[in-house]
């Protein structure tokens, strides 16, 4: 393990509301955090699934939206300057002989931490794979659910499927590089930024790309190389020639790589004790929707409580020789200094 | 309470008592009807409660809202009679309702 890039006290896997509040509770105890998430933004389910919907059971907020809650948490943890690593899927988590933990991501980021907090919620957000027969055969060669390096798509004949922001954005971004680009969507309306829709329509007008109504039914090709797809619309079936397909049907939560980290799992949840919220491996904690214990409620407020108790034990592990004092933020001048209260 | 019949992709039929003041999705979940996932718990935010309403019932089940129409973009094999079952409220009007579940929620 020579290529450790970042050493830190704590790594938090998952930037959902519970992961974010963990930064606060750990911060009060002088524990510095790095936070990782596969999403491109913090907030987990609140920001990805229901940013505009109201939540009514956050203490002291009669009503707050998913995005507002995320924004407030970001504001609350700012004094602790957590470092965020977004667009990073945590692939592996291993204990070193010295008892610390090495975390690696799909993008090659490596961190070493004294404690790890798994706040992975319902699992990592992953692109939805349309259940088109035989699609697996083309994944990674002709079918892609995300674009990591645009250059790989130069001179390709690309079919983009969907009507949301990802579909529209990638049409616009790849259009200058692609040999040909076609957008297919089930209706002539888009749930995307009006500006992107306008730009797409202008390209179509100019014959610089195509838009067609329809839904994909079949894929044709061989050896993982796509040659054409059959699509259906109101007037029947038709074929579209293409060598690359990019389906964008939104995201879903899947347990993902954490299934392989050697932790005890119970129906895809991580059992913890209710004193420290520690997993079967000392030093690895699990809080929020991802954990289970008798009486568990998958609520944001439960996750906040779990974060507070977890932080106590994390402190004992990181600073075994120091005494943990119980203090109120209202009256403790040392806590207030950490929070930047003047 | 009205009875609702769910027909699976393979033809398996299941008729259950609808749950008062609930939705077609909740009725399916409470009665352990397979084929409806409802990941978001009925918030019209996941499209994994997609069903096909029997054409004879389309008028009674009403129109899709704009939000439901948008969410249907994230479902697969959307047809004219596609609905998100969490957006259909159960009422006495729906006595005998027949809906089909897709091969796979996605
Ligand atoms: C529509 C809807 C309405 C809701 N309403 C309420 C409500 O009113 N009140 C309430 O209390 N709760 C509500 N909830 C539940 C609430 O959103 C969850 O309890 C909360 O989001 C859990 O927070 P979390 O931080 O544990 O996990 P999440 O919010 O699920 O975040 C986990 C994050 O971890 C990331 N992650 C996981 N694995 C990896 C990995 N290997 N690598 C990188 N990143 C990873 C995920 O991408 C995700 O961003 C609602 C949920 C939904 C869907
Ligand atoms: S349950 Fe998620 S959209 Fe209906």
């Amino acid at each position: 393990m020579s290529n450790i890039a970042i050493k830190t006290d704590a790594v938090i896997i998952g930037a959902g509301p519970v992961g974010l509040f963990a930064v606060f509770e750990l911060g009060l105890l002088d524990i510095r955090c790095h936070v990782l998430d596969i999403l491109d933004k913090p907030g987990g389910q609140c920001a990805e699934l229901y940013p505009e919907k109201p939540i009514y059971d956050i203490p002291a907020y009669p009503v707050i939206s998913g995005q507002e809650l995320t924004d407030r948490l970001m504001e609350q943890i700012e004094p602790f300057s957590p470092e965020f690593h977004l667009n990073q899927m945590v692939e592996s988590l291993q204990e070193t002989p010295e008892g610390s933990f090495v975390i690696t991501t799909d993008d090659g980021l490596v961190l070493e931490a004294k404690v790890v907090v798994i706040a992975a919620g319902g699992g990592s957000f992953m692109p939805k794979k349309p259940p088109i027969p035989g699609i697996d055969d083309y994944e990674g060669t002709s079918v892609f659910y995300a674009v990591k390096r645009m250059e790989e798509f130069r001179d390709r004949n690309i079919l983009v499927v969907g009507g949301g922001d990802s579909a529209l954005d990638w049409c616009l971004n790849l259009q200058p590089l692609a040999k040909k680009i076609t957008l297919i969507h089930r209706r002539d309306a888009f749930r995307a930024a009006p500006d992107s829709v306008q730009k797409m329509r202008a390209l179509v007008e100019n014959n610089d790309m195509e838009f067609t109504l329809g839904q994909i039914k079949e894929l044709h090709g061989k050896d993982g190389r796509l040659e054409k797809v059959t699509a259906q619309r109101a007037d029947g079936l038709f074929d579209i020639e293409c060598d690359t397909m990019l389906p964008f049907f939104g995201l879903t939560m899947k347990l993902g790589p954490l299934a392989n980290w050697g932790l005890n799992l119970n129906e895809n949840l991580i059992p913890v004790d209710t004193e420290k919220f520690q997993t079967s491996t000392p030093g690895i904690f699990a809080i929020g929707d991802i954990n289970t214990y008798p009486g568990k409620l998958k609520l944001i407020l439960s996750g906040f409580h779990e974060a507070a108790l977890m932080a106590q034990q994390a402190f004992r592990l990181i600073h075994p020789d120091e005494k943990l004092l119980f203090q109120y933020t209202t009256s403790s001048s040392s806590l207030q200094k950490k929070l930047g209260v003047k | 309470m009205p009875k609702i019949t769910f027909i699976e992709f393979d033809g398996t039929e299941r008729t259950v008592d609808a749950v008062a003041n609930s939705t077609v999705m909740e009725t399916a979940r409470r009665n352990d009807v397979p084929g409806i996932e409802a990941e978001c718990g009925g918030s019209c935010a996941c499209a994994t409660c997609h069903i096909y309403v029997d054409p004879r019932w389309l008028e009674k089940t009403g129109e899709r809202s704009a939000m439901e129409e948008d969410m249907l973009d994230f479902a697969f094999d959307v047809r004219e009679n596609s609905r998100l079952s969490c957006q259909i409220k159960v009422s006495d009007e729906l006595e005998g309702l027949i809906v089909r579940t897709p091969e796979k929620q996605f």
Side-chain angles (χ1 to χ4, degrees):
Chain A
M1 280 163 211
S2 52
N3 56 343
I4 304 285
I6 300 168
K7 282 198 176 200
T8 176
D9 288 337
V11 160
I12 301 174
I13 302 173
V18 178
L20 295 180
F21 196 64
V23 172
F24 184 83
E25 290 295 333
L26 291 166
L28 286 181
L29 303 180
D30 291 319
I31 299 171
R32 287 257 311 154
C33 303
H34 284 249
V35 188
L36 295 101
D37 204 299
I38 180 67
L39 289 182
D40 59 1
K41 55 181 176 290
Q45 293 177 45
C46 301
E48 181 60 33
L49 294 178
Y50 60 105
E52 276 138 42
K53 291 212 173 85
I55 312 173
Y56 300 100
D57 58 352
I58 303 298
Y61 282 100
V63 55
I64 186 166
S65 74
Q67 189 57 49
E68 243 182 293
L69 178 75
T70 306
D71 294 344
R72 294 289 166 118
L73 283 166
M74 289 298 283
E75 194 184 318
Q76 192 168 24
I77 66 179
E78 223 221 29
F80 303 112
S81 332
E83 275 194 50
F84 283 89
H85 307 275
L86 300 172
N87 294 307
Q88 302 273 345
M89 169 78 93
V90 178
E91 289 284 357
S92 76
L93 165 58
Q94 279 166 321
E95 195 168 356
T96 66
E98 297 77 40
S100 60
F101 300 95
V102 174
I103 296 99
T104 37
T105 73
D106 61 343
D107 215 24
L109 185 70
V110 183
L111 298 104
E112 186 178 334
K114 294 176 191 151
V115 302
V116 173
V117 180
I118 302 178
S124 57
F125 277 100
M126 294 190 188
K128 285 166 87 173
K129 302 183 175 188
I132 306 168
I135 194 164
D136 298 356
D137 299 347
Y138 298 102
E139 283 170 6
T141 45
S142 291
V143 172
F144 302 88
Y145 302 103
V147 176
K148 285 240 161 177
R149 269 165 288 274
M150 295 222 306
E151 213 27 58
E152 281 171 24
F153 295 88
R154 183 175 289 280
D155 296 328
R156 289 200 185 216
N157 183 356
I158 305 172
L159 179 65
V160 175
V161 191
D165 280 307
S166 307
L168 271 288
D169 287 351
W170 286 118
C171 280
L172 300 179
N173 289 335
L174 292 174
Q175 190 277 334
L177 297 181
K179 183 157 85 192
K180 182 171 176 215
I181 198 152
T182 309
L183 174 66
I184 183 168
H185 183 42
R186 71 175 184 94
R187 57 182 180 137
D188 193 2
F190 300 87
R191 185 179 178 255
D195 177 57
S196 314
V197 177
Q198 215 172 7
K199 284 185 179 143
M200 181 276 292
R201 291 208 195 274
L203 287 172
V204 172
E205 190 90 349
N206 255 335
N207 290 323
D208 288 328
M209 68 171 274
E210 279 184 34
F211 169 63
T212 177
L213 284 174
Q215 298 185 75
I216 310 289
K217 287 272 149 194
E218 291 166 17
L219 307 178
H220 309 277
K222 52 175 176 294
D223 305 327
R225 307 267 156 215
L226 193 61
E227 285 159 13
K228 64 177 181 184
V229 306
T230 302
Q232 183 172 42
R233 63 182 169 220
D235 58 358
L237 295 173
F238 62 105
D239 286 344
I240 304 170
E241 281 186 23
C242 60
D243 53 39
T244 302
M245 182 170 90
L246 305 174
F248 294 109
F249 283 94
L251 303 174
T252 181
M253 294 194 100
K254 289 266 153 53
L255 188 59
L258 90 80
N260 312 320
W261 298 346
L263 298 163
N264 279 349
L265 288 179
N266 180 357
E267 293 188 24
N268 286 347
L269 297 169
I270 306 176
V272 291
D273 67 86
T274 49
E275 184 195 340
K276 308 170 183 134
F277 296 91
Q278 201 160 231
T279 67
S280 50
T281 308
I284 302 182
F285 299 86
I287 57 174
D289 277 13
I290 191 68
N291 75 13
T292 180
Y293 52 84
K296 166 76 182 181
L297 285 179
K298 284 193 191 185
L299 287 178
I300 296 165
L301 103 111
S302 315
F304 288 172
H305 159 79
E306 294 161 17
L309 294 201
M310 169 282 293
Q312 303 284 307
Q313 178 65 10
F315 178 88
R316 291 188 198 102
L317 293 176
I318 295 173
H319 305 289
D321 305 325
E322 283 174 48
K323 199 166 151 36
L324 188 55
L325 277 183
F326 176 76
Q327 305 179 87
Y328 288 124
T329 53
T330 314
S331 45
S332 155
S333 51
S334 91
L335 291 186
Q336 290 182 359
K337 203 167 142 221
K338 293 175 202 181
L339 290 166
V341 179
K342 295 216 174 70
Chain B
M1 261 293 114
K3 290 202 182 302
I4 300 181
T5 300
F6 293 86
I7 307 178
E8 274 178 71
F9 177 75
D10 65 4
T12 313
E13 277 189 33
R14 230 174 285 252
T15 301
V16 300
D17 284 319
V19 179
N21 294 321
S22 72
T23 62
V24 172
M25 179 281 278
E26 284 165 319
T27 295
R29 295 285 305 259
R30 296 264 188 98
N31 288 285
D32 294 320
V33 174
I36 291 178
E37 283 179 21
E39 260 176 34
C40 79
S43 310
C44 199
C46 73
T48 63
C49 64
H50 178 204
I51 50 149
Y52 303 112
V53 174
D54 185 280
R56 285 165 294 177
W57 287 92
L58 276 176
E59 213 166 296
K60 289 226 170 102
T61 47
E63 303 262 315
R64 304 169 183 161
S65 68
M67 185 165 74
E68 182 180 350
E69 189 70 65
D70 279 350
M71 265 333 284
L72 277 168
D73 282 352
F74 292 152
F76 188 70
D77 195 6
V78 178
R79 304 176 199 162
E80 261 176 75
N81 57 342
S82 285
R83 289 295 306 269
L84 295 178
S85 57
C86 68
Q87 301 301 305
I88 307 176
K89 286 238 155 57
V90 169
S91 68
D92 288 333
E93 282 244 289
L94 297 183
E95 169 61 45
L97 174 67
I98 301 172
V99 303
R100 288 179 174 72
T101 51
E103 182 175 7
K104 202 170 170 247
Q105 290 291 349
F106 132 94

